[in-house]
Amino acid sequence: MDLALLRTFVTVHRAGSFTRAAALLGLSQPAVTSQIRTLERQLGRPLFLRRARGVTPTAVGDELAHRAAPHLDALVDIVEVGLDEDSGARTLHLAGPPEFTSLRALPALTPLISQGLALRSTFAANTEEALEGLAAGHHDLAITTARPRGGLLTSTALCDEEHVLVAAPRWAGRLGPGALRHKGSVVLEQLPVVEVHESLPLVSRYWTTVFDSRPAASGAVIAPDLRAVLECTAAGAGLAVLPRYLCESALERGEVVALLDPPMPPLRTYFLTARTGTLGLPHIARAHEWLVRAAVDW
């Protein structure tokens, strides 16, 4: 069987689309379609069901992907080993949220540099983007906030992130804890909100969990990086919901204060995800183990 056909098949399976697979492979969509049809003729069975948006693998397609993908990844690694021997290092490609990757993951991995590991990081806008890049082979590991489905990706729970409702001290002085607990939506209407997106994802989740209601405010400051949200909040722009690890130092210095201390604060779980079979590669396995071990203290 032609390995090029298998490579195209696995790429389509991971991308979920002939169009995306063609872009990843540097081929035209008709070329990808032709290769998949050739492989289906050779096997005598359909591998994908064509949908209005992308393709869905058949049971045969899923089985073939699970059996073939790890071996194809291993062949790619053989090539990379030769390249890395020339450069004297193995390279790990890591994707994840910009703040968590910058403040947690990358510092935790830096001791491996002295062991010959080179690091390349990509800041993913969201979990879907990170998983798509991982499935397509652009990354070796991805830090995500959702566990992927299917058998081509494998994930390990890394740590839980506690969310804290914070504001600058001058705003906190105007509020009473009882008002916040019982009239969360009303308070939101009174205070400006600093968030990462217009949909207020962190504030909305906090209000749903703690107040059992939806926020009725819009963002006064929208910045797509939690570090910027923290700086704006400390400067007095309004209230924000932030991960505790990110704002812990600011809380200790009194630059922001926690407006509430609920008995069950909202939590978000991070997962460390890899393509199935690639944890057999030493440099990926070592980085994976290192991050899981470091996360015990996070």
Side-chain angles (χ1 to χ4, degrees), residues 89-266:
R90 296 304 311 273
T91 302
L92 179 87
H93 296 268
L94 174 70
E99 307 87 359
F100 190 88
T101 304
S102 298
L103 301 178
R104 290 295 201 198
L106 289 176
L109 289 173
T110 52
L112 295 180
I113 294 174
S114 63
Q115 301 178 25
L117 184 72
L119 292 173
R120 299 292 183 270
S121 61
T122 298
F123 294 155
N126 50 55
T127 285
E128 182 180 1
E129 179 181 303
L131 291 179
E132 285 184 355
L134 179 66
H138 298 319
H139 320 307
D140 299 313
L141 293 172
I143 298 170
T144 64
T145 55
R147 189 187 295 274
R149 296 180 178 179
L152 284 184
L153 298 176
T154 181
S155 64
T156 302
L158 196 57
C159 64
D160 288 331
E161 171 187 271
E162 179 189 346
H163 287 178
V164 187
L165 179 65
V166 298
R170 70 180 183 87
W171 284 113
R174 303 182 185 182
L175 304 172
L180 274 171
R181 180 170 297 279
H182 300 296
K183 298 182 179 180
S185 297
V186 174
V187 171
L188 257 184
E189 292 172 357
Q190 297 173 356
L191 271 69
V193 177
V194 188
E195 255 281 17
V196 294
H197 191 270
E198 296 286 357
S199 63
L200 309 185
L202 298 178
V203 169
S204 294
R205 189 167 182 271
Y206 191 98
W207 248 248
T208 299
T209 302
V210 176
F211 303 124
D212 194 24
S213 66
R214 298 288 295 175
S218 59
V221 178
I222 302 296
D225 190 302
L226 290 173
R227 290 163 294 191
V229 171
L230 173 59
E231 293 300 321
C232 291
T233 304
L239 66 79
V241 173
L242 292 169
R244 182 171 289 278
Y245 80 85
L246 183 70
C247 63
E248 189 72 53
S249 295
L251 285 167
E252 293 174 355
R253 294 191 298 266
E255 297 170 354
V256 296
V257 296
L259 300 179
L260 278 179
D261 185 21
M264 296 186 64

